[in-house]
Amino acid sequence: MTSLKNAFNYTLSLAILAIATSPASAQTLPEAVTLALQTNPGLESQRANLRALGQRRVQAVAQRRMQIGGEATYGQQESWTRSISSTGVISSRLATETTPTTYGLSASQPVWLAGRVKAAMSLAEAQIAQADARLAASELAVMRDVVIAYAALRRDLRTVEIRRQNLATLNRQLEAVRVRFDVGDVTKTDVAQVEARQAASTTALAAAEAAVDASRSAIERLIGQAPTELTPEIKEVAGPASLDQALVLARANNPDLAAIRLGETIALAGAKVIEAENRPKITIQASQAWAVDSGFDGNRSGNTAVTARLSVPIFTGGLASSRITEVLGNANAARFSAVDGERQISERTTNAWHQARVARVAVNASAEQVKAAQIAFEGAELEQSVGLRTTLDVLIQQQELLEAQLAQARAMHDLQAATIALSAITGVLKPSDLEATSASVKKTGLPWLTPPEVPLAAVETVLSIVPLPSQVSVKAAERAGGRPKPNAKR
């Protein structure tokens, strides 16, 4: 008894350990969507990129902050002199050894940067917004793909169930027709007809089972593990009520389109960064240096300097103007890409809307088709039993029932796939609609102003009230076919 008890405890411990160390399995569709949103490597890569882009806010503000540097040097020097007489005898020799040491401390504080910080901050915000939109688009795509993959698996499982039922019916019919053949009620042709259908059904069942395995692999690729259980039904997400509403929502909410549109904003912000780099700036510099020479007692020296520096770019050989023109060309290209992207989104939305509408009609029609085919098949079997129908008639009705049931399974899949695709492309799909939870991204906030920075930031804000000439604004307005802003000077 003691040995049996020890063996039972050991087995129980192993079972508990296995449960504790094994990865959680996705049991339901919400769990699968949650797992995909939180662990998908593609999404994790984009979240890491979004967090990294948040540092560009810090880098933009850092241009306005004080920069402090230090320097120290230490060396050892030996110097000597000698003189030689005409007879070749050294008359004198003098040697000295010193270890000079220097220390230095310098600080630089920008006073006026002519809009450099504002331009860099605008560029950073646009880049972060674009990365955020791309992440949202990827999350929508992952949710859509998981739902479609689950719908495909449900369709394939239903197909296997239908084909197994069909094969079982054919097996029953084959036994019955063989008995009737033995008593001379039917011919060999009737037996061969059922045998042919039974062999074809066996092959179709094997193919359906292979399709189930393929669908499971597709889900495993998306969520990282094979599904173990499916929910009874996939909750249909409420989509737009009309095609016009779907188009309006897609143009306003589609994150892919939003990311494309931000390309022009990023290009214009980059042009203003280049423009600001070629404007004057005022900087205050301070330095303190010390030097110690050990060769002579008490030999010390020092230097203190405070300098106000005005830097004014005068001529750059056309480099600055060329860079601005290049970036404005990219902005122009991005604007046309946004127009093309809007047309593509409109086309995809229209197609998705019509696919959902057709799929909904197909679901209702297939239900009626299955109901009618079931009645026809049962009637054919009954009529066969009284000699009013042949074996071939029954097989034809059975095949029609099979096709109707398979069509209904496909229609359900198509409806679920079309509605989720429409919700995704219009941007209305949210994790909560699928009872799922996504991973959050902790974004870098705006840096706080340091005490020495407060008065200088105020000075920069006051100086920025006076508008500076902006070739970027003028050229951008010309390329867009509009007029320059009133405060834009040539």
Side-chain angles (χ1 to χ4, degrees):
M1 291 296 294
T2 302
S3 300
L4 182 61
K5 182 177 180 181
N6 291 337
F8 174 77
N9 291 336
Y10 178 73
T11 304
L12 181 61
S13 300
L14 288 179
I16 294 174
L17 179 62
I19 294 174
T21 57
S22 63
S25 298
Q27 297 293 329
T28 64
L29 178 60
E31 290 173 352
V33 175
T34 298
L35 193 61
L37 290 175
Q38 295 182 355
T39 64
N40 185 276
L43 295 180
E44 286 299 298
S45 174
Q46 289 184 298
R47 292 187 183 109
N49 179 60
L50 183 57
R51 286 190 290 267
L53 284 176
Q55 294 301 316
R56 296 193 179 181
R57 289 190 178 117
V58 180
Q59 296 165 16
V61 175
Q63 297 182 76
R64 188 173 55 204
R65 293 184 170 179
M66 180 182 294
Q67 305 291 323
I68 301 176
E71 183 178 356
T73 61
Y74 173 80
Q76 186 171 1
Q77 299 179 357
E78 180 181 356
S79 60
W80 52 271
T81 59
R82 67 178 180 178
S83 59
I84 303 176
S85 65
S86 59
T87 60
V89 179
I90 298 176
S91 60
S92 64
R93 180 183 179 91
L94 178 62
T96 60
E97 292 186 5
T98 61
T99 55
T101 304
T102 62
Y103 307 92
L105 188 65
S106 62
S108 176
Q109 175 61 63
V111 177
W112 182 56
L113 293 176
R116 285 172 173 82
V117 174
K118 181 180 179 181
M121 184 63 73
S122 298
L123 177 59
E125 293 292 346
Q127 291 172 333
I128 292 171
Q130 186 182 58
D132 201 6
R134 287 174 176 167
L135 174 59
S138 297
E139 288 183 339
L140 284 175
V142 167
M143 288 189 290
R144 178 201 62 204
D145 291 346
V146 171
V147 172
I148 292 176
Y150 255 76
L153 180 54
R154 284 176 50 82
R155 176 202 59 201
D156 294 339
L157 289 172
R158 176 59 181 158
T159 300
V160 169
E161 180 184 356
I162 292 170
R163 292 201 176 277
R164 282 178 179 169
Q165 293 174 355
N166 183 66
L167 181 58
T169 302
L170 287 171
N171 290 335
R172 175 177 56 81
Q173 290 176 344
L174 182 58
E175 292 178 2
V177 77
R178 282 174 178 172
V179 171
R180 295 177 63 190
F181 174 75
D182 291 338
V183 299
D185 192 22
V186 296
T187 66
K188 184 65 175 178
T189 302
D190 297 302
V191 177
Q193 288 173 344
V194 180
E195 287 177 341
R197 295 294 179 97
Q198 191 253 8
S201 181
T202 302
T203 302
L205 176 59
E209 290 173 345
V212 169
D213 293 334
S215 296
R216 289 186 183 275
S217 297
I219 297 176
E220 186 174 2
R221 173 181 58 83
L222 291 169
I223 67 177
Q225 58 185 241
T228 58
E229 185 180 342
L230 298 179
T231 52
E233 295 293 340
I234 297 178
K235 182 180 178 182
E236 182 176 345
V237 179
S242 64
L243 176 58
D244 291 338
Q245 184 184 10
L247 291 172
V248 171
L249 290 173
R251 291 165 185 160
N253 301 326
N254 185 274
D256 281 319
L257 184 57
I260 295 174
R261 287 169 174 165
L262 283 168
E264 182 182 5
T265 304
I266 291 174
L268 291 175
K272 291 196 174 183
V273 168
I274 297 172
E275 185 178 53
E277 290 174 353
N278 291 276
R279 286 174 176 169
K281 66 176 180 178
I282 300 175
T283 307
I284 296 177
Q285 296 177 335
S287 63
Q288 175 72 51
W290 302 269
V292 180
D293 190 347
S294 62
F296 301 93
D297 293 338
N299 187 3
R300 304 287 188 274
S301 62
N303 179 55
T304 301
V306 177
T307 306
R309 174 175 294 180
L310 171 64
S311 301
V312 183
I314 297 177
F315 179 70
T316 62
L319 176 62
S321 177
S322 177
R323 291 176 63 193
I324 291 175
T325 302
E326 178 189 5
V327 177
L328 288 177
N330 294 334
N332 201 32
R335 186 173 73 255
F336 286 112
S337 295
V339 175
D340 181 61
E342 184 173 338
R343 293 180 181 179
Q344 292 184 19
I345 291 297
S346 297
E347 179 187 11
R348 290 168 52 193
T349 303
T350 302
N351 293 338
W353 167 263
H354 289 301
Q355 288 171 0
R357 182 178 60 84
V358 172
R360 189 168 285 106
V361 173
V363 167
N364 297 330
S366 62
E368 295 296 327
Q369 184 183 2
V370 169
K371 182 178 178 181
Q374 183 70 41
I375 295 174
F377 171 64
E378 293 174 355
E381 280 193 318
L382 182 60
E383 291 171 359
Q384 182 196 27
S385 64
V386 296
L388 297 178
R389 292 279 185 172
T390 64
T391 302
L392 181 60
D393 294 332
V394 175
L395 291 176
I396 291 174
Q397 292 299 331
Q398 182 178 351
Q399 184 66 26
E400 290 185 357
L401 175 60
L402 173 66
E403 295 298 334
Q405 291 172 331
L406 294 176
Q408 184 181 36
R410 289 192 299 268
M412 289 297 300
H413 163 268
D414 294 343
L415 177 60
Q416 291 161 350
T419 53
I420 200 70
L422 181 61
S423 298
I425 198 172
T426 54
V428 300
L429 179 63
K430 300 182 293 296
S432 58
D433 294 331
L434 303 173
E435 300 178 1
T437 305
S438 180
S440 59
V441 180
K442 185 178 180 181
K443 299 180 182 179
T444 303
L446 293 177
W448 290 93
L449 291 176
T450 58
E453 192 179 358
V454 174
L456 297 173
V459 171
E460 183 179 4
T461 302
V462 172
L463 293 176
S464 65
I465 295 177
V466 180
L468 295 172
S470 176
Q471 292 296 325
V472 172
S473 300
V474 173
K475 291 183 179 180
E478 290 175 351
R479 288 178 180 272
R483 296 181 179 179
K485 294 181 179 180
N487 60 352
K489 300 179 180 179
R490 294 185 178 271

